[in-house]
Amino acid sequence: MKRNGAVDFWKFVFSVVILCFHSLYFAGSETYFFYDGANMVEYFFLVSGFLMAASVMKQRSETQDVPVRKSTWQFLFHKIKSMCPEYYVAWALSFLIKQFAGEILPLRLICKHAILSIWELFFLRMAGFNDYNANGATWYISAMLVAMLLLLPLFYKNREFFLYYLAPVISIAILGYLYAAEKTLRGNTDWMGLCYKGLLRAMGVLCLGCVCYVICQKMKEAEFTPFAKILLSVAESGGCLFALYWTYGHATSKMQFMILILFAIAVTISFSHQGMFAPLYDNRVVYWLGRFSFPLFLSHHAWSGRMNRMFPDDTYAQLFPKYVLLSVGTAFAVYVISAWVRRIGGKYKDSVRALFVVGR
């Protein structure tokens, strides 16, 4: 699927917000940026749900006779492949930061942490295997993949039934339960008796992303007037800007669910490409920011928990710019190293494969 500039732009903006929000780990009693920045992750879940629906529906004729189990695992394999090597490069750098930044941990403890990280390396944190985490941001990847593993067989089994009935029902049921029982979407590792809240959160919002896909297809069929396109643009940008305003100065509340709806509207409009501003977003700079948002999302969390140890006498105002520089620098390192690994991997893929698999 061709890149969508508006989605790329807001992905980058919300990655920056999440970076700022995680400064809470060294803020202490001081005021930190974006009190409720955690709910920006909902935008990523919505986009992932939308793209999941778009991909499955695009494959409809190609995978009609392919067993559901095979289609499911092929989808997940390609999803994981699209996040590599960034995921593992960021994990390795985060692991080193947590073992050596501020204080050098004993070798015995480093080895223990490496062994306990096995669940994180295989994306199983939100399946219940939540032990030592080198990179706190990986909960999102784990929740998304485990939720997709549960949802995709239902989707491939009956695409129309899933899109038009199961996805809305699952979304309403899960989000309604979290609204009534928990009052918040936050608390990824809160145990709900059967699973973590983060997994429920992922399933509910991914399904809402599928609903966005259905509505978007209907919007693409319509010819909107210039006035209607202006209204769509206001709804698209206004919803995201309101989310930024609210999360900057307000603590966690049920407003998270209203912001989720605003995000759903924005994602639907962005992918429909019906807004007045759509052509402005479609340029190489914004596309690059969209690609860079993933390394940025993965590269800051380890630093947030080490700033007080590295600079124990600094105030929040002194720590924050250092945190941003370290995080952005690490994100660039992940971006560059990943590009190098991808280039080398492509060049020597056949040679590496020959070491393990007998050619035919």
Side-chain angles (χ1 to χ4, degrees):
M1 179 180 288
K2 182 183 176 182
R3 297 198 73 90
N4 186 290
V7 171
D8 276 339
F9 174 79
W10 289 110
K11 279 168 57 181
F12 175 76
V13 170
F14 295 141
S15 292
V16 173
V17 171
I18 292 169
L19 180 152
C20 295
F21 164 72
H22 282 139
S23 67
L24 70 91
Y25 292 115
F26 58 84
S29 59
E30 297 185 69
T31 301
Y32 56 89
F33 291 108
F34 295 104
Y35 281 6
D36 204 18
N39 70 327
M40 300 297 103
V41 172
E42 265 58 65
Y43 188 88
F44 303 144
F45 276 137
L46 285 167
V47 171
S48 295
F50 185 102
L51 294 177
M52 177 181 74
S55 179
V56 172
M57 295 306 288
K58 184 179 179 180
Q59 299 169 3
R60 183 162 32 185
S61 58
E62 303 171 7
T63 60
Q64 191 170 7
D65 298 324
V66 178
V68 169
R69 64 183 183 278
K70 185 175 181 180
S71 297
T72 298
W73 288 111
Q74 283 180 339
F75 183 99
L76 290 172
F77 173 78
H78 287 297
K79 188 69 177 178
I80 292 170
K81 186 178 178 182
S82 71
M83 296 184 290
C84 294
E86 284 83 357
Y87 180 91
Y88 290 106
V89 173
W91 179 89
L93 293 179
S94 296
F95 184 85
L96 293 175
I97 292 167
K98 293 189 76 170
Q99 310 314 305
F100 300 107
E103 62 174 321
I104 299 177
L105 299 180
L107 180 60
R108 176 187 59 81
L109 192 55
I110 294 175
C111 293
K112 179 181 178 181
H113 290 166
I115 293 170
L116 292 177
S117 294
I118 188 70
W119 311 117
E120 189 176 25
L121 294 173
F122 285 97
F123 313 103
L124 292 172
R125 282 184 61 185
M126 286 294 106
F129 301 96
N130 189 43
D131 211 310
Y132 179 80
N133 304 307
N135 188 345
T138 58
W139 80 267
Y140 164 78
I141 308 296
S142 174
M144 177 185 68
L145 292 175
V146 175
M148 286 181 173
L149 178 61
L150 296 172
L151 294 171
L152 282 167
L154 301 174
F155 201 166
Y156 278 115
K157 187 69 175 178
N158 192 323
R159 291 170 172 81
E160 302 293 331
F161 182 71
F162 180 87
L163 265 187
Y164 291 93
Y165 182 75
L166 273 185
V169 168
I170 293 172
S171 180
I172 291 171
I174 291 178
L175 296 176
Y177 167 71
L178 293 177
Y179 184 89
E182 298 294 311
K183 311 295 189 296
T184 177
L185 291 165
R186 285 184 63 180
N188 305 312
T189 54
D190 292 348
W191 187 250
M192 308 298 292
L194 184 63
C195 65
Y196 285 125
K197 186 192 289 185
L199 180 56
L200 284 180
R201 179 181 181 183
M203 289 186 66
V205 184
L206 283 174
C207 284
L208 183 57
C210 292
V211 175
C212 293
Y213 171 81
V214 173
I215 298 172
C216 179
Q217 301 317 298
K218 298 297 182 183
M219 289 181 63
K220 286 181 177 179
E221 297 173 2
E223 292 187 18
F224 292 101
T225 65
F227 176 70
K229 289 190 174 186
I230 291 174
L231 292 179
L232 289 174
S233 300
V234 170
E236 177 187 12
S237 300
C240 293
L241 291 173
F242 176 80
L244 291 176
Y245 156 76
W246 185 268
T247 195
Y248 183 81
H250 297 80
T252 299
S253 69
K254 286 186 175 180
M255 184 60 74
Q256 285 186 335
F257 294 88
M258 295 305 302
I259 290 174
L260 173 59
I261 298 303
L262 293 177
F263 280 163
I265 294 170
V267 166
T268 304
I269 296 171
S270 293
F271 276 113
S272 73
H273 222 258
Q274 294 280 24
M276 294 287 290
F277 303 142
L280 299 178
Y281 288 113
D282 292 328
N283 60 76
R284 292 182 180 181
V285 174
V286 175
Y287 293 157
W288 183 86
L289 291 176
R291 290 192 295 270
F292 186 68
S293 65
F294 187 52
L296 186 63
F297 176 78
L298 290 174
S299 300
H300 69 274
H301 206 284
W303 289 118
S304 65
R306 290 294 177 274
M307 298 306 296
N308 285 327
R309 298 185 184 185
M310 295 169 63
F311 310 100
D313 299 324
D314 285 8
T315 64
Y316 177 79
Q318 294 171 317
L319 289 172
F320 185 77
K322 296 174 184 176
Y323 163 65
V324 172
L325 287 174
L326 287 168
S327 298
V328 173
T330 305
F332 270 109
V334 170
Y335 185 85
V336 172
I337 294 171
S338 297
W340 177 79
V341 171
R342 192 176 288 110
R343 185 170 61 253
I344 296 299
K347 187 176 180 180
Y348 296 102
K349 181 174 65 174
D350 293 337
S351 300
V352 173
R353 180 182 175 84
L355 292 175
F356 301 96
V357 180
V358 177
R360 292 185 178 180

